[in-house]
Amino acid sequence: MADYYNFGIEIELISKPHTVRCPLVRVEYYERLAASLRKRNLLAQADTSTDNYHGSLGDPDHPQIPLEAVSPILSTRGKREGEIDTFWPAHKKVFHVPEQSIDCGSHVHVSPSGIKWSLAQLKNIAVGTVYFEALIHAMLPATRRHNSYCRKNSTSSSRLGSYISGGQQGWRNFMAAATGTNRETLIALMQSDRKVLWNFTHIVDDGIGTIEFRGGRGLRGERRSKWWIAFAVSYLNLLCTLKLHSNQGELNLSADELYKQIKQSARGLDMSSSLPASYQILHDSRETGVNSLPTCPSAVHHSDHTGPPPAYSSVYRDRISRRLRADANEMSQVFRRDVVAGVDPSIRMMIISLTLRSLQMLLGVVVGIIYSIHRPLPAACTFAQVLVGFSVITASTCALSSGRRRRFRSLWDLLKSRKWKLVALGWELVLALFWIAVGGRFAILYENQNNLMGHTAYLDLVNTCLWVLTAGIGTLRWLVGRKAEGGNTFAV
């Protein structure tokens, strides 16, 4: 067991850029992401050697862009969360939220701090990963359990598979083979290629010295990024402490018990806050039957069945109850994080947007009704009614947009290209100018009059202020977005 661990994460993404240029040159967007990271004081470099990604992500439909982000070397002792928290906002400046693709995954590399894995540690980890393989496999997201890029080690290695299928005698043969080997033969025993759940190919003397966990889900934000990092590091730390090759008494664990052990291991590394309450939340699934997996060596690798019991039994009801409690716990955590603690600024901005747009619609409708009944100046009242109609349509569109996407957006954010964003911004500025004209005209006409039309003039002035405010915010957002997203001013 090491005092602390070094780790790094590789994140596979398929994302659509905010600004789609023709032709779509992928390396340009890789460099934009790197520049966005550098603006946040992170050292970043884009791989501009080729415009084609030759990996598991394939060639997604236009204008989706595949990419793999590789973190620097981080440590369980250092301020690791800052790097992860910084990456995702930088990504969102260049790309939309990543697609939910079954082709995307995440890989975590782990090594002891300052040294390489000792042979004794590697043997412990090899035995543990094989023994708990079915339980760990059940904790993976459904999209990763049968992915060809993270197969079970016992499936990849025919020799290992023959040991596992040999019952108790095969298990004893595997223990003998694992404990009496060197690094190179251990790799040959555990896998036939690198596309396995636990990749040992880097542990050779001239390698980078890491064990790679390839079972993480496709990531779309910082919270689950921390989950899978903490899971991989804490599990390897646990296997080093259990010493499974010499202690058989600690092997009889269920999936829940194993996850509790992982949580306890994470607590010793100060990573417990980065793991969810249960593995059901971790793998984002509500499948049943996982907890019924056997724990004896002869059967643990032959029990991939995770279906519900044949009858609606008390055991089945207990599983439903556990899932409901897990759902309630996750919802409570999200509520405390996003609403009570106020960490998520998108909720506050959505409330501001809905408030401003609702006031614009409400005051516009009231003014329009008044001018349809009282028409002291028919031409001016008609102009005001037409302006009210366009204003209500614009405000309602912006309100629906901000509510649908849970963030403060205005009309131009629904459009794709920068040219049309500028057109939409110009439209809102025109509405603001027209409201200034209407408000000023009726304010002069009914100045100091204590009647309905005098009060209506004040409503015109309030509506004018609201439209000037939203137009000003829109102008500021467009200028900031132009500087952050790219174009001629983007750092190369």
Side-chain angles (χ1 to χ4, degrees):
M1 173 180 170
D3 294 334
Y4 61 97
Y5 293 89
N6 295 330
F7 63 88
I9 185 170
E10 301 170 357
I11 303 174
E12 297 174 339
L13 303 167
I14 296 178
S15 302
K16 178 182 177 182
H18 291 300
T19 304
V20 179
R21 297 186 178 276
C22 186
L24 187 69
V25 181
R26 291 175 178 175
V27 294
E28 175 184 348
Y29 293 94
Y30 299 157
E31 179 53 43
R32 288 191 180 193
L33 177 57
S36 182
L37 289 166
R38 289 193 291 268
K39 288 181 180 180
R40 289 162 176 78
N41 299 320
L42 289 182
L43 296 177
Q45 183 177 0
D47 182 6
T48 58
S49 59
T50 177
D51 194 45
N52 297 317
Y53 178 89
H54 301 284
S56 60
L57 304 184
D59 189 15
D61 295 334
H62 179 85
Q64 305 290 348
I65 293 180
L67 64 93
E68 182 178 35
V70 181
S71 77
I73 299 176
L74 306 175
S75 171
T76 57
R77 178 177 290 183
K79 297 180 179 179
R80 57 187 179 275
E81 295 188 351
E83 305 277 350
I84 305 300
D85 290 334
T86 303
F87 169 77
W88 288 105
H91 174 272
K92 291 175 183 177
K93 284 296 182 182
V94 183
F95 298 95
H96 292 284
V97 176
E99 296 293 311
Q100 288 182 316
S101 173
I102 61 174
D103 295 325
C104 295
S106 53
H107 310 157
V108 181
H109 290 258
V110 185
S111 67
S113 58
I115 57 175
K116 290 187 175 182
W117 295 105
S118 68
L119 193 56
Q121 289 174 326
L122 293 173
K123 292 175 181 179
N124 285 330
I125 293 172
V127 173
T129 54
V130 173
Y131 191 89
F132 293 128
E133 187 175 60
L135 298 182
I136 295 298
H137 196 253
M139 296 181 190
L140 302 181
T143 56
R144 304 298 289 174
R145 294 177 196 169
H146 304 289
N147 190 292
S148 60
Y149 283 85
C150 58
R151 295 177 296 162
K152 291 181 179 180
N153 290 74
S154 61
T155 302
S156 172
S157 171
S158 58
R159 181 184 173 193
L160 181 58
S162 64
Y163 285 144
I164 300 309
S165 61
Q168 293 289 346
Q169 182 58 44
W171 178 256
R172 286 191 290 269
N173 292 338
F174 165 69
M175 294 284 285
T179 55
T181 185
N182 55 34
R183 295 174 184 267
E184 288 74 15
T185 55
L186 182 63
I187 296 173
L189 172 64
M190 295 299 295
Q191 59 197 91
S192 61
D193 55 42
R194 65 179 183 86
K195 299 177 183 179
V196 289
L197 184 59
W198 298 98
N199 179 20
F200 289 80
T201 56
H202 303 298
I203 64 172
V204 292
D205 292 333
D206 57 347
I208 61 176
T210 65
I211 295 176
E212 180 186 14
F213 169 70
R214 299 173 58 88
R217 57 163 282 172
L219 300 173
R220 306 172 73 219
E222 55 268 20
R223 183 176 60 156
R224 287 181 173 82
S225 302
K226 298 173 186 176
W227 283 4
W228 288 104
I229 290 172
F231 177 81
V233 176
S234 302
Y235 179 62
L236 291 177
N237 181 64
L238 173 65
L239 296 184
C240 290
T241 60
L242 289 181
K243 299 180 180 179
L244 301 179
H245 69 277
S246 60
N247 193 341
Q248 298 290 321
E250 297 187 55
L251 295 179
N252 296 320
L253 301 175
S254 66
D256 281 324
E257 292 169 340
L258 178 59
Y259 189 76
K260 288 180 181 178
Q261 294 269 12
I262 296 174
K263 287 276 289 183
Q264 184 175 355
S265 174
R267 194 173 298 113
L269 297 172
D270 195 23
M271 302 182 79
S272 60
S273 60
S274 298
L275 279 175
S278 69
Y279 68 85
Q280 291 92 342
I281 300 176
L282 177 70
H283 66 31
D284 299 315
S285 175
R286 296 296 177 260
E287 297 176 358
T288 59
V290 172
N291 289 331
S292 62
L293 286 169
T295 58
C296 59
S298 60
V300 68
H301 304 284
H302 295 84
S303 300
D304 290 334
H305 171 68
T306 58
Y312 187 76
S313 61
S314 60
V315 176
Y316 194 34
R317 288 196 299 272
D318 290 341
R319 289 172 184 161
I320 294 176
S321 177
R322 284 196 298 270
R323 292 200 307 276
L324 290 176
R325 288 196 298 270
D327 286 340
N329 182 64
E330 182 180 23
M331 291 175 64
S332 175
Q333 292 178 359
V334 172
F335 179 81
R336 288 195 300 269
R337 187 192 75 247
D338 291 350
V339 180
V340 177
V343 174
D344 189 356
S346 63
I347 294 180
R348 296 194 297 269
M349 299 307 292
M350 181 187 71
I351 293 174
I352 294 174
S353 174
L354 290 176
T355 301
L356 292 176
R357 298 303 182 181
S358 298
L359 288 174
Q360 289 173 339
M361 287 188 288
L362 177 62
L363 295 180
V365 170
V366 171
V367 169
I369 293 175
I370 294 175
Y371 287 148
S372 66
I373 299 175
H374 301 277
R375 302 175 61 85
L377 297 175
C381 291
T382 300
F383 179 81
Q385 287 178 295
V386 173
L387 178 61
V388 165
F390 283 116
S391 300
V392 169
I393 293 174
T394 303
S396 59
T397 302
C398 294
L400 291 174
S401 171
S402 64
R404 177 177 60 87
R405 294 296 302 273
R406 278 191 24 151
R407 63 181 65 181
F408 183 63
R409 290 186 180 274
S410 46
L411 180 60
W412 52 87
D413 285 320
L414 296 176
L415 306 174
K416 301 299 183 183
S417 66
R418 183 172 298 279
K419 178 179 69 175
W420 288 108
K421 286 182 182 180
L422 184 60
V423 170
L425 173 60
W427 169 250
E428 183 139 5
L429 291 172
V430 168
L431 290 179
L433 292 175
F434 282 161
W435 274 108
I436 292 174
V438 170
R441 179 72 179 90
F442 284 100
I444 295 173
L445 184 63
Y446 297 104
E447 183 180 5
N448 298 326
Q449 294 190 20
N450 190 18
N451 54 26
L452 178 61
M453 298 307 295
H455 298 323
T456 304
Y458 284 112
L459 293 180
D460 289 336
L461 291 177
V462 173
N463 224 347
T464 299
C465 293
L466 289 174
W467 280 101
V468 170
L469 177 61
T470 56
I473 293 175
T475 302
L476 180 62
R477 293 185 65 250
W478 187 83
L479 292 174
V480 172
R482 182 173 183 269
K483 181 179 179 180
E485 288 181 11
N488 296 329
T489 60
F490 200 89
V492 178

